[in-house]
Amino acid sequence: MKTSRTIHTANGSTVTVSPRGIEVDLWVRDAAGRTVATVEMSRADALALLDELDEVTA
């Protein structure tokens, strides 16, 4: 993952995944754009999470 990726949910919330060095930042925002949570994880964990999300939404 070299660029940010934003996933939009059915209720208007978003999850943005952004690379930062060897780690990845994940921002969860509600429909109004307010940050609900921030998560820092390894690149491998983030890629695994995105793969699982792709399977769920396919």
Side-chain angles (χ1 to χ4, degrees):
M1 174 189 326
K2 296 182 181 184
T3 61
S4 295
R5 178 176 174 182
T6 299
I7 301 163
H8 299 272
T9 67
N11 70 355
S13 299
T14 60
V15 178
T16 302
V17 183
S18 297
R20 185 176 53 82
I22 62 170
E23 295 183 333
V24 173
D25 289 333
L26 207 133
W27 286 281
V28 179
R29 293 182 178 93
D30 64 14
R34 292 183 299 258
T35 300
V36 176
T38 57
V39 179
E40 184 179 297
M41 61 178 52
S42 72
R43 184 176 299 261
D45 287 344
L47 290 172
L49 175 63
L50 290 173
D51 284 343
E52 288 181 33
L53 288 173
D54 285 339
E55 288 178 20
V56 170
T57 59

